[in-house]
Amino acid sequence: MQVYRIAKEYTDAPGGRFQKDGNYSGEEFREIVLIPMLEKIPLGEKLLIDFDGAFGYPKSFLEESFGGLARKYTSKLVLEKLDFKSDDEPDVVKRVLRYINDVKK
Amino acid sequence: MARTKQKQIKYSKNVGIHNYERRVWRKNLKRIPVESRGHSLQRVLNENEARHIQHSHILPVNLSIIENPEEVITSFNEMESVISQGYPIYIDMKDVNRLSIESIMYMLSLMKNLKTRKVPFHIRGNVPATADNFHLLKNSGFFTFVGNNALVLRSNGETFSIHESASVEGDTVKNICQFIMQKMNIPQKSMYALYDMIIELMTNTVEHAYENGMNIVSHWYIYIDYDELKKEFHFAFLDNGLGIPTTVKKTSWEKFQKWVADKGILIYGQVDLIEASLLGAFRTRTQEENRGKGMPGIYEFLKKKKVNNLVIVSNNGYYSETKKIDMNATMRGTLYYWTMRKECFYASV
């Protein structure tokens, strides 16, 4: 399974929600990382998002990244394509799943 | 010679400056050093001949917004009013025996807003007589700010000087976390809650605190210091925007009224709006389903003891777990103050 480590490959200091608010926003992460990667995942495979190693993940960042992804592609598709791992703080995965599932179809 | 004729300056009898300064003022009128940025003293004299009266503004002995909100905020509002009218002002801090950082931040924020509005101002002042308060003022970066209008984040081992910005800055919060980790010898993964909280406060400022076209600068200030005696960190975060009671969206009126009724509140005030915002009774101004998680998140941290002694002061509302009051004084913007001991970083999320 392909693994994407946010802290190593994007930033260990995520920002806020929108690009206009500052660097390393959830919107930017979704647009320049998640969407291109999602579209390249082969059928039947998944991408593992590893959250470990960062200083934290603001709710706004997570919601805009993954909730926004679900609003674009649907919750079902996002959950089919992505897996999540966070040993540092397991609550991060719970939140991400909630944001994805909260998106109305 | 024309300038000399204009030198019929009337002084307030209670100028409050010592004799040396009085001689300097009268003798070197053209070369008075101006300690604030803005229009030069000479141009103001030309433009506003009637306004040569320097006001001396004496700050309260207890200059802590957290402990003495009514008096301190009223004092700052009066000070701002004098400055806005173009009068030179002398800020007298020498009798301040309780100086707190959020008050310094608020003062800097008022000055910055005046400068942005191109209000010419001429501010001089003295420093607190006690060594502790003087060092707090110095370490806060206050003199750096009034000197060259720059606030630089740095640590002197016990404090982070006041840092100011108009955007959401993950790197700033990372530096803060590293400072705390080093001071308390705690691991990085224990920083999650604090990191989240500070980023959410920055986000709230940048996204909600200001209306377009407001003639003030969108900015926040943050300061952290470590109390060696109590073994705890003190945090102060300030934005100088519209304030929570003003910005919360009340279109979910029925929801709010139910919340008020459930609380048994007959007449609600601004502190109730702050509390309701923490409890998620309102949607955010955006009214979007996926938004509005910042304030409830902070309240969640408070309940789970990840932060202690949270105080929020905004407009006329003063909120803490033990004290909820509607003040007569109105604060511009919102102040968040809280403390954290080592165990806070290990409390479960």
Side-chain angles (χ1 to χ4, degrees):
Chain A
M1 182 192 287
Q2 191 182 354
V3 180
Y4 185 87
R5 295 173 180 81
I6 298 177
K8 281 200 165 72
E9 300 180 57
Y10 182 64
T11 181
D12 62 358
R17 184 179 285 273
F18 297 122
Q19 284 180 290
K20 65 175 177 60
D21 297 340
N23 294 332
Y24 301 114
S25 65
E27 181 185 21
E28 181 189 84
F29 181 61
R30 182 188 71 233
E31 294 297 318
I32 71 170
V33 175
L34 290 181
I35 290 176
M37 295 198 77
L38 195 78
E39 292 183 349
K40 287 181 191 161
I41 299 172
L43 203 62
E45 290 186 24
K46 280 191 157 190
L47 171 68
L48 178 66
I49 305 289
D50 185 343
F51 291 95
D52 291 333
F55 284 83
Y57 289 95
K59 295 178 185 63
S60 306
F61 175 91
L62 294 176
E63 204 291 322
E64 190 62 31
S65 307
F66 296 97
L69 198 67
R71 283 188 284 278
K72 184 176 172 72
Y73 291 103
T74 75
S75 307
K76 181 171 182 286
L77 187 132
V78 171
L79 292 172
E80 280 173 1
K81 294 285 190 182
L82 299 181
D83 260 341
F84 307 101
K85 169 184 176 288
S86 179
D87 295 332
D88 286 349
E89 180 49 77
D91 193 60
V92 170
V93 175
K94 290 180 196 169
R95 276 196 216 146
V96 168
L97 291 173
R98 189 166 70 239
Y99 296 146
I100 293 171
N101 286 313
D102 277 352
V103 170
K104 290 176 181 164
K105 292 173 190 168
Chain B
M1 291 309 291
R3 284 189 204 281
T4 304
K5 284 185 183 172
Q6 289 167 11
K7 201 170 70 173
Q8 291 300 317
I9 297 171
K10 292 181 173 48
Y11 293 98
S12 164
K13 288 195 175 162
N14 297 315
V15 167
I17 53 177
H18 61 65
N19 288 338
Y20 173 71
E21 287 179 301
R22 194 185 295 276
R23 286 198 295 275
V24 170
W25 178 276
R26 285 180 176 168
K27 182 179 173 186
N28 298 319
L29 197 60
K30 293 180 187 179
R31 294 184 284 113
I32 293 277
V34 179
E35 279 147 18
S36 64
R37 296 289 178 261
H39 293 280
S40 74
L41 182 60
Q42 289 176 323
R43 273 187 276 147
V44 170
L45 288 173
N46 290 336
E47 292 162 7
N48 300 285
E49 289 188 46
R51 296 179 183 223
H52 301 310
I53 300 173
Q54 176 172 277
H55 290 251
S56 175
H57 188 79
I58 301 171
L59 292 176
V61 170
N62 183 347
L63 195 64
S64 165
I65 294 177
I66 299 299
E67 295 172 12
N68 188 23
E70 201 76 70
E71 189 182 3
V72 172
I73 295 170
T74 300
S75 178
F76 281 140
N77 289 345
E78 286 169 357
M79 186 179 89
E80 190 192 17
S81 174
V82 167
I83 297 170
S84 295
Q85 292 173 64
Y87 293 109
I89 193 167
Y90 188 89
I91 299 174
D92 188 344
M93 284 195 248
K94 72 176 183 311
D95 290 330
V96 171
N97 70 19
R98 172 73 178 108
L99 176 64
S100 69
I101 198 60
E102 74 277 359
S103 299
I104 298 172
M105 285 160 61
Y106 193 61
M107 214 174 0
L108 291 177
S109 188
L110 291 177
M111 288 186 209
K112 189 173 177 89
N113 285 341
L114 288 165
K115 186 170 186 297
T116 304
R117 284 159 48 198
K118 297 187 176 11
V119 173
F121 59 91
H122 314 276
I123 299 174
R124 301 181 69 182
N126 56 20
V127 297
T130 61
D132 284 351
N133 285 329
F134 172 73
H135 286 302
L136 177 65
L137 194 63
K138 184 179 158 204
N139 292 338
S140 72
F142 178 83
F143 298 120
T144 306
F145 178 80
V146 297
N148 62 17
N149 209 21
L151 283 168
V152 176
L153 183 70
R154 60 181 180 275
S155 164
N156 68 357
E158 298 299 327
T159 65
F160 259 167
S161 299
I162 296 173
H163 184 69
E164 171 222 2
S165 179
S167 60
V168 179
E169 295 184 348
D171 283 338
T172 297
V173 189
K174 174 180 170 179
N175 290 338
I176 290 169
C177 289
Q178 288 173 324
F179 171 63
I180 293 170
M181 285 158 57
Q182 193 248 338
K183 196 76 192 165
M184 283 191 163
N185 192 27
I186 49 181
Q188 181 178 312
K189 63 183 181 181
S190 298
M191 293 291 116
Y192 267 61
L194 179 67
Y195 189 93
D196 185 359
M197 180 168 171
I198 298 177
I199 292 286
E200 291 301 334
L201 291 177
M202 291 178 182
T203 303
N204 280 349
T205 299
V206 170
E207 292 195 6
H208 301 306
Y210 305 89
E211 297 278 4
N212 285 338
M214 266 190 89
N215 59 350
I216 59 175
V217 176
S218 166
H219 59 260
W220 50 259
Y221 296 87
I222 191 167
Y223 175 87
I224 298 104
D225 84 350
Y226 181 67
D227 186 329
E228 189 66 59
L229 214 59
K230 294 181 183 176
K231 298 280 188 248
E232 65 184 14
F233 281 95
H234 300 172
F235 299 79
F237 184 97
L238 170 74
D239 78 63
N240 203 359
L242 294 171
I244 295 171
T246 306
T247 54
V248 288
K249 194 68 175 175
K250 301 179 189 61
T251 58
S252 296
W253 197 241
E254 294 81 17
K255 201 172 174 184
F256 174 66
Q257 285 183 316
K258 181 179 182 313
W259 180 86
V260 167
D262 288 346
K263 289 275 181 187
I265 298 171
L266 296 176
I267 300 171
Y268 68 89
Q270 295 208 343
V271 69
D272 297 308
L273 293 174
I274 296 174
E275 186 174 32
S277 179
L278 283 169
L279 295 175
F282 296 115
R283 291 283 177 73
T284 69
R285 292 171 75 200
T286 66
Q287 290 296 289
E288 291 170 27
E289 289 272 359
N290 56 315
R291 306 286 293 275
K293 303 185 187 324
M295 289 292 279
I298 291 168
Y299 187 71
E300 193 184 321
F301 289 151
L302 181 66
K303 286 293 138 190
K304 291 181 176 174
K305 308 289 184 201
K306 294 195 82 64
V307 299
N308 293 327
N309 303 316
L310 176 68
V311 176
I312 302 175
V313 186
S314 191
N315 297 159
N316 297 92
Y318 180 105
Y319 171 90
S320 73
E321 282 189 296
T322 54
K323 191 160 84 169
K324 299 178 180 68
I325 56 175
D326 275 303
M327 303 180 293
N328 291 318
T330 302
M331 174 162 172
R332 190 203 302 273
T334 303
L335 168 70
Y336 301 83
Y337 172 89
W338 69 97
T339 62
M340 292 178 82
R341 300 167 65 96
K342 195 168 184 176
E343 54 266 26
C344 294
F345 294 94
Y346 293 106
S348 58
V349 173

